[in-house]
C-alpha cells in the first residue's frame, strides 16, 4: 500500500498541486484501505498519468513530457539497485525517499522554496512512510549510489540528468545537475561518505 501510494503522491508533486493537497487530506484514509478514498486516489492518479502520456505518446519531447514520471526515480533506482532488488526495499518505498531527495536537490540548487520540501517531508512522515535514507536499516555509500545513478542516466561532463521541481506540482527535467550537489544531498540525508 505504501509503495503504491508513493507513486500517487509523486503524480501530485509532478504536475497537480490539487492532487497533492488531496493526498494531505485523505492519505491516511487511503493507507487504511478506505474504499472510497482508494478509488478516488487511483482515479486521480490514472487521470494524471493518462494526461502526461497522451501529451507525449511517443516520448518525443526533449524536455519534460513523459520523463517527468521519473520524479524521485533516479534516486529511488539507485537505492533499489544497491540492495539488489531482494525485497528489503520495495520500488515505491525507494521512490518515497527519492521524492524527498529530488525536492532537497531542487532546494539546494535554488529552484524550489524550502517550504515545499518541508510539506513533502511532513506528508510522508505523517503517514510513517520512508522519507530519508537514514530511515532505512541499511547503510548506503555515496560512491555506490553515485555509480548507480551515473549508469542509470549517463553522466556528461560531471553533470547528471534529473527531474527536479520549482515547487509542488511544478516538476521539470534538466541535464545540468552538478554531481557535487547530488553528493551533498545524499550525505545530508544519511548516506555515508
Ligand atoms: Zn515507479
Amino acid at each position: 500500500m505504501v509503495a503504491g501510494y508513493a507513486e500517487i503522491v509523486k503524480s501530485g508533486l509532478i504536475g497537480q498541486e490539487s492532487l497533492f493537497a488531496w493526498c494531505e487530506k485523505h492519505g491516511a484514509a487511503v493507507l487504511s484501505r478506505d474504499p472510497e478514498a482508494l478509488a478516488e486516489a487511483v482515479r486521480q492518479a490514472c487521470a494524471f498519468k493518462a494526461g502526461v502520456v497522451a501529451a507525449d505518446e511517443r516520448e518525443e519531447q526533449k524536455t519534460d513530457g513523459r520523463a517527468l514520471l521519473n520524479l524521485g526515480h533516479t534516486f529511488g533506482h539507485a537505492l533499489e539497485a544497491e540492495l539488489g532488488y531482494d525485497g528489503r526495499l520495495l520500488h515505491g518505498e525507494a521512490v518515497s525517499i527519492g521524492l524527498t531527495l529530488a525536492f532537497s536537490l531542487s532546494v539546494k540548487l535554488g529552484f524550489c522554496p524550502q517550504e515545499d520540501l518541508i510539506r513533502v517531508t511532513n506528508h510522508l512522515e505523517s503517514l510513517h512512510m520512508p522519507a530519508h535514507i537514514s530511515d532505512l536499516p541499511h547503510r548506503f555509500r555515496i560512491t555506490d549510489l553515485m555509480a548507480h545513478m551515473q549508469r542509470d542516466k549517463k553522466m556528461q561532463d560531471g553533470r547528471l540528468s534529473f527531474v527536479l521541481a520549482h515547487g509542488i506540482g511544478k516538476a521539470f527535467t534538466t541535464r545540468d545537475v552538478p554531481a557535487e550537489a547530488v553528493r551533498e544531498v545524499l550525505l545530508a540525508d544519511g548516506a555515508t561518505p
Side-chain angles (χ1 to χ4, degrees):
M1 287 296 291
V2 162
Y5 180 69
E7 299 273 3
I8 293 174
V9 171
K10 179 199 76 174
S11 299
L13 294 179
I14 291 171
Q16 200 179 321
E17 200 270 345
S18 62
L19 172 52
F20 182 74
W22 184 90
C23 287
E24 289 178 310
K25 215 167 159 201
H26 302 284
V30 172
L31 290 184
S32 65
R33 298 165 200 250
D34 174 274
E36 264 178 52
L38 263 178
E40 179 60 15
V42 170
R43 189 193 68 73
Q44 291 201 57
C46 288
F48 177 78
K49 184 162 184 178
V52 172
V53 172
D56 184 20
E57 202 183 326
R58 295 163 197 272
E59 281 189 84
E60 287 164 343
Q61 284 191 36
K62 292 237 179 339
T63 56
D64 298 342
R66 285 176 78 158
L68 293 175
L69 297 172
N70 287 324
L71 179 67
H73 280 60
T74 300
F75 285 116
H77 285 152
L79 296 169
E80 281 185 282
E82 195 48 31
L83 292 183
Y85 308 100
D86 64 358
R88 283 180 287 173
L89 181 66
L90 297 179
H91 172 72
E93 294 173 320
V95 167
S96 179
I97 295 170
L99 292 174
T100 44
L101 287 169
F103 270 77
S104 296
L105 185 55
S106 303
V107 169
K108 181 166 208 60
L109 295 173
F111 292 118
C112 174
Q114 176 96 21
E115 304 92 80
D116 287 34
L117 166 62
I118 292 169
R119 208 174 142 196
V120 174
T121 310
N122 283 349
H123 179 57
L124 299 176
E125 286 178 346
S126 74
L127 296 175
H128 309 289
M129 293 170 67
H132 300 286
I133 293 173
S134 56
D135 291 340
L136 299 175
H138 321 288
R139 277 166 59 97
F140 293 89
R141 286 173 52 214
I142 293 169
T143 44
D144 296 333
L145 294 173
M146 292 300 293
H148 287 298
M149 285 191 266
Q150 285 157 6
R151 217 166 295 145
D152 199 34
K153 294 277 162 190
K154 264 189 234 138
M155 190 166 70
Q156 290 175 339
D157 309 326
R159 308 233 145 201
L160 289 153
S161 295
F162 267 93
V163 183
L164 298 178
H166 290 295
I168 288 167
K170 298 178 201 157
F172 65 98
T173 58
T174 172
R175 293 166 193 276
D176 199 27
V177 173
E180 191 48 39
V182 179
R183 277 189 208 100
E184 287 169 19
V185 163
L186 290 170
L187 180 67
D189 208 61
T192 54

